[in-house]
Each structure stands twice: as structure tokens, then as C-alpha cells.
Amino acid sequence: MDSEANPMEHRAFDPEAHRADLLAIVREIHELPDHGETIPPRMIEGILRRYPRDGRGFYSRAQIIAGLRHLAATGALELDEERLARRIQMRPVRTQSGVTPVTVLTRPHPCPGRCVFCPNDVRMPKSYLADEPGAQRAAQNHFDPYLQTWNRLAAFRAIGHPVDKVEMIVLGGTWSFHPEPYQIGFIKRCFDALNDFGRGIDGRDRVGNLIQDFSSLKSQEGLSYNEAVSSHLRSHLGSEWSGEGEQSTWAELELAQELNEAAGCRSVGLVVETRPDHLSVEEIYRIRRLGCTKVQIGFQSLSDEILELNQRGHDVGATREAVTRLRAAGFKVHAHWMPNLLGATVESDEHDFEKIFSDAALRPDELKIYPCSLIETAELMHYYESGEWKPYAHDELLGVLVAALSRVPRYCRVTRVIRDISSDDIVAGNKLTNFRQIAERELLRRGGRCDDIRAREVRNEFVEIKDLELRETNYSTSIGQECFLEFVTAEDKLAGFARLSLPDRKADLEELKHCALLREVHVYGVATEIGTRPELRAQHRGLGTQLVEAAAERARNAGFGDLAVISAVGTRSWYRRNGFRDGDLYQHLSLA
Ligand code: SF4
């Protein structure tokens, strides 16, 4: 009966015409016993069957949520709108980790990399394919940041998800290779959309005449991706490669950020993706100024030989340096690693993976594992045709992934295994998108288990705060000691964690000199509305404050007088309430 909300269906559906039915349905749903979880589909369907829709089948869950929103907006609902929406929501897993992720893509743009495995679809930012779900959404929105953000928020809201706490994830090629005016303009427009959506303002019509058209971009015989895209941008936008409405000033961005601090949709995280060799100290300062809190960075391999064979254009030293700088500036590091690259073997990949966590200059906080798949437009095709590269057989890939998952330390979160590419795009290589489950099952069968964060999250379960234990994992990094603090249940389920860096070297950024760094505080539970206080879920039981206190105590004991936090724009007020004062790009807690 359900599918993800179709915006067209949503638009065509007039809730007012079905007011009486919708009110009755919503009231019945409200009467169902509430154990805090999403209502199982069969129970909702049982109710919907009692209210057939105009002899044309049944209402969908998306329509019920649209009706709920309408009834609340017109004052006809005396019940708690958000609580009901949460109970009816579709695909609850999306927001179970506590925050609603909104992914947007930058427009097609040249990339300094020449990686042989990278797709070359000129209609997309480098490395993306036109039929990936996120890429399709971006193209439908002409890669405009405002439209993408606003429409994604609307889609989430239409399927019952809360949108008050949002992690903005900006993907596409190499972020740091975009001109600064485009970067500022892009992020500013994301904030504008968050601010507008939170206030119920729909500014999409105003974007209309500023949209850049990329639909005419086509591959041209003899032209590389970079050449074709550069020539398009130059001819449509001039030598600055930025169109009207695409540029903003720092002052305009800072104003939009300030508005976001108290907005209905707040950015509680902002992520960009870039290459290791484009993370100078100046660049790190810039992305922090944009409001970023996390960087996705392509390691791909930890062998200079493999990197060179695959024409990555940087060595492992650049990766180590980039991670060191990011950590020293308090960023969370989300690494990408690719087994089965040109020149790699099962044995070399198992050894390569070990380095990710044995090398103190790496040890990322999050990890995507994307085994190399062959895409027709990638240069790897030549190596495949000449027999120099071939994909691993099922069992070989299984062996690599099982070994990898068994070695992930408890402080790291494996966010994805296998990229979500349509099997039609894969010429050769794994086409199973559920390979993670297959590998996890095999790991269990072999008597092992994956201890990563994702495997241990409490998700939407109830936890008793008195049953939680504060556990500490210490490890060394290239900037000093790292302290991973976590609240766990007796079964080692994770209810919340904090990442604390205790540097023993001089910071690159003046503001962070002599500071301990609070890089992350995360508490699990459904992403409930800021300001509401559900009694039982982990997220609102003061665990965040307790984690900050534990980190402060740990930093004080290590001799630090200042704890700096890389707060997101939307969490600044929370940190102020917890005693932090505003600095330039960070907030600070005096430990004296
Ligand atoms: S750096 Fe990334 S986007 Fe650029 S070519 Fe390499 S893989 Fe593709």
C-alpha cells in the first residue's frame, strides 16, 4: 500500500476534500497503544480498509500524513501532530540515528582527479551516475541547492519524518575545486532553504529564472569529462563559472547561519566531500567557516603503487596529512576505501584495510567501503578489455569484506558497504546491494562479530539511563590522544558517544591553540523535535550533557584549560546552554 511519497501524488491529493475520513483515521491511529515505536503497516492498513477512498482503493500512508499536516494547519486537530506523524512515518530507519540526513549534489564541475575507476557522466558531478536515486533528485532540481534542500525536506515531512534536526550532506566530485563564490553561494542557499522551510515559506518560485540548465550537456567524442564540462560552464556562465544568484558574500552566509540557530529546521551537521590533496590549512579554515563539521575524504587505497596505477594523483602521505589536519581542526573524518582497484589482490586488500586502523595518522571516525565496480564510461574499461583488471569473484569479495568488518574498531561507524549503483550501470563487478548483510552473516557464522558503531546503536529501543555504563576507549593519533567515550548497555548497545581529541602538538588554527577538541557528541533515538521532551527515548535523557561533562573532566585531567567544540550552526544554542561561549569558528568551555 505504501511507497515513498511521490511528490506528484502528494500535490494532486486534496486533503480538504477528504477531511471527515482523514480526521476519523487519524483519531483511530491515535487510539492505538503507543509503545513509542512506528506503527506496524498491518495495523495501519487495518484502519485504512475501513475507510475506502471514493471507491478508488485506499488512502496511502503518505496521504494520511498529508491529511494530518492539513488538519493541524487548519486547526482541526487537537492531537499532537508530530507524535502522530512519527508513529505513521514510512521508512523509519532513515532517522533512527537521531538526525534527518538531507543529501544534495553540486552541479557538474571539473575534477582535478583522473582516477581510472571514476565514471564520466557529464550530466552529473564527477563520479555520480544519472540513475542513482540521489543524482536523479539533484538533476530534477537542476542541482540548485535551495530546490534540492527544500524539496527533500518536504519529501521527508510528507512521509512523517521530523525535519527539525538536519545533517546537510553536500556531495559531488571535489568540493574544494569549486570556486569560493560558488561554495559560499551553495551553502548559503542550503541554509536559506532550511530557514524558509522551518518558517513555512516556499521560496521555490523565486529560484525559477536563476536555474542553470545542464540537461543539454552531452559527452562529446574526443573530449574528456573536464573538457566537456568546462566548455559548457564557460559558454553558459562566463569565465567566472558562476551564474546570477549563485554567488553570495561571507556576510550573507553568516546572516543565514545566524538565522538558522533558532530555525525550525536546524543544521546539526554539515558535510562536504573532497580529495586528500586539496585540504590545505586555508581550505580547512574555509570549510569550517562555511559551517562544516565533517569531511568525506577518498582514501581509496593505502598503497602508493595502487594509487599511482589508478591515477589518483596523490600518495598516501597526502592522505595522512589531510586526516591529521582535519583532526587537528576538530573535524570528523569520513573515509572512503575501495577494494579491488586496478593492481590490487585479495591479499593486498586485506593488508591495505589493516593500515586504515593501524596507522595512527588515519583511524577515521566513519567509513564507506565501496568495492570497485566497472562502469562503462570509466577508463577502467580499457584495463578490463585488455585483461589487466577483473572484478573479484563473489567468494573473494566476501573474504575481503568479512575480514574488513571484523577489524573495524568500536569507535568507527561503517556507514555503507557497496555503493548504491543500479545493476544496469555495472558492466562487471558485484551487483548485490545487500552484500553487507551477506558479509555480516558470514562473519557471525565464522564466530566473529562486527563491533562498529552502526552494529551497536540502540536505534529506537528503550534504554534505562541507570543501566548505562560510561565506557572509554583511548587510542593514539598523529595529533595526540583520542578518547572515545560511550554510554553502553550491559549488552554493549550504544546509546550515545563523544569524540575527544587531546592534542600534543601545535594546532594549525590560532583559535585552537592549547585546546582540547570535542569533535562529536551524538545521542541516539528517533530524531524528535527540538524542544519536546519525550520521556523514554535515549536522545532526551541528558546523555548529551553527561557526555560533555565527561569529556570536560577528561580534558581537565589531561591538563587542558579550554575545551573547544566544532559545533554545527544548529547546535550552538545547545552548547551555550551547556556553558560554552562563542569563539570565532568554535565554541569554548573554560576548564579552569
Ligand atoms: S577525485 Fe573523486 S571525483 Fe575526482 S576523478 Fe577521482 S574519484 Fe572521481
Side-chain angles (χ1 to χ4, degrees), residues 204-443:
R204 289 176 295 174
D205 286 349
R206 292 198 296 277
V207 178
N209 58 345
L210 301 174
I211 282 173
Q212 308 303 325
D213 181 22
F214 295 97
S215 58
S216 59
L217 247 173
K218 290 199 175 53
S219 315
Q220 293 171 50
E221 192 68 37
L223 285 192
S224 67
Y225 174 95
N226 282 0
E227 287 164 343
V229 170
S230 308
S231 123
H232 179 91
L233 292 177
R234 219 174 285 120
S235 63
H236 285 72
L237 304 173
S239 54
E240 294 292 315
W241 288 6
S242 282
E244 192 192 343
E246 279 196 337
Q247 302 190 13
S248 299
T249 62
W250 282 111
E252 287 167 335
L253 169 63
E254 279 152 14
L255 188 61
Q257 290 174 336
E258 230 174 278
L259 282 175
N260 192 250
E261 283 186 19
C265 296
R266 293 184 209 172
S267 159
V268 299
L270 175 56
V271 189
V272 294
E273 68 172 342
T274 197
R275 284 168 56 89
D277 55 346
H278 276 65
L279 279 166
S280 61
V281 175
E282 295 70 35
E283 175 61 8
I284 284 175
Y285 180 81
R286 181 177 19 246
I287 55 178
R288 179 63 200 132
R289 208 172 160 196
L290 291 168
C292 291
T293 51
K294 187 193 299 179
V295 173
Q296 291 200 22
I297 174 173
F299 288 10
Q300 315 314 7
S301 168
L302 296 162
S303 150
D304 282 340
E305 198 188 330
I306 301 285
L307 289 174
E308 195 177 336
L309 268 175
N310 288 272
Q311 297 181 42
R312 274 291 288 177
H314 68 79
D315 59 10
V316 180
T319 307
R320 301 175 84 243
E321 240 175 78
V323 175
T324 301
R325 283 191 191 131
L326 285 170
R327 198 190 302 275
F331 283 92
K332 289 163 278 287
V333 177
H334 190 172
H336 299 186
W337 178 73
M338 293 183 79
N340 201 184
L341 286 173
L342 178 64
T345 63
V346 168
E347 293 71 34
S348 75
D349 272 337
E350 289 190 11
H351 179 56
D352 206 72
F353 189 86
E354 270 181 24
K355 291 189 217 165
I356 298 178
F357 297 106
S358 64
D359 187 338
L362 301 173
R363 301 185 169 164
D365 307 305
E366 296 180 17
L367 183 65
K368 280 181 182 168
I369 303 176
Y370 282 164
C372 183
S373 296
L374 182 63
I375 308 297
E376 197 175 357
T377 55
E379 202 185 324
L380 192 62
M381 270 303 277
H382 304 303
Y383 297 92
Y384 176 62
E385 282 159 359
S386 68
E388 289 167 85
W389 178 86
K390 68 175 174 48
Y392 291 160
H394 177 94
D395 285 353
E396 290 176 320
L397 183 58
L398 185 62
V400 171
L401 295 181
V402 167
L405 290 176
S406 72
R407 288 185 178 124
V408 181
R410 54 193 297 119
Y411 60 78
C412 180
R413 186 173 197 271
V414 180
T415 55
R416 276 200 91 93
V417 176
I418 309 295
R419 190 168 155 188
D420 192 9
I421 302 179
S422 153
S423 58
D424 294 341
D425 287 322
I426 299 173
V427 180
N430 168 63
K431 294 187 179 181
L432 297 174
T433 48
N434 66 336
F435 217 112
R436 180 185 195 136
Q437 287 146 283
I438 296 170
E440 282 173 347
R441 271 202 301 268
E442 179 60 17
L443 178 57

Side-chain angles (χ1 to χ4, degrees), residues 121 123-124 128-136 420-422 424-425:
D121 187 335
R123 297 165 297 171
M124 287 290 130
Y128 288 83
L129 294 163
D131 53 6
E132 288 180 89
Q136 278 177 358
D420 192 9
I421 302 179
S422 153
D424 294 341
D425 287 322

Side-chain angles (χ1 to χ4, degrees), residues 538-560:
Q539 199 168 21
H540 288 271
R541 303 189 67 184
L543 287 186
T545 301
Q546 290 186 48
L547 284 164
V548 170
E549 286 165 1
E553 191 188 331
R554 183 75 180 70
R556 194 181 292 112
N557 292 341
F560 288 88

Side-chain angles (χ1 to χ4, degrees), residues 46-102:
I47 295 173
L48 297 183
R49 265 194 278 276
R50 288 198 285 281
Y51 297 90
R53 185 191 157 192
D54 301 340
R56 290 169 44 207
F58 300 100
Y59 294 104
S60 68
R61 226 192 287 202
Q63 287 166 339
I64 299 306
I65 292 169
L68 173 70
R69 301 293 188 205
H70 176 76
L71 293 169
T74 54
L77 194 74
E78 69 287 0
L79 308 169
D80 181 340
E81 176 190 355
E82 292 308 332
R83 179 179 157 272
L84 271 164
R86 205 162 44 238
R87 300 196 67 203
I88 308 170
Q89 73 177 215
M90 293 138 68
R91 303 193 176 201
V93 78
R94 289 264 176 81
T95 44
Q96 267 176 355
S97 69
V99 170
T100 302
V102 170

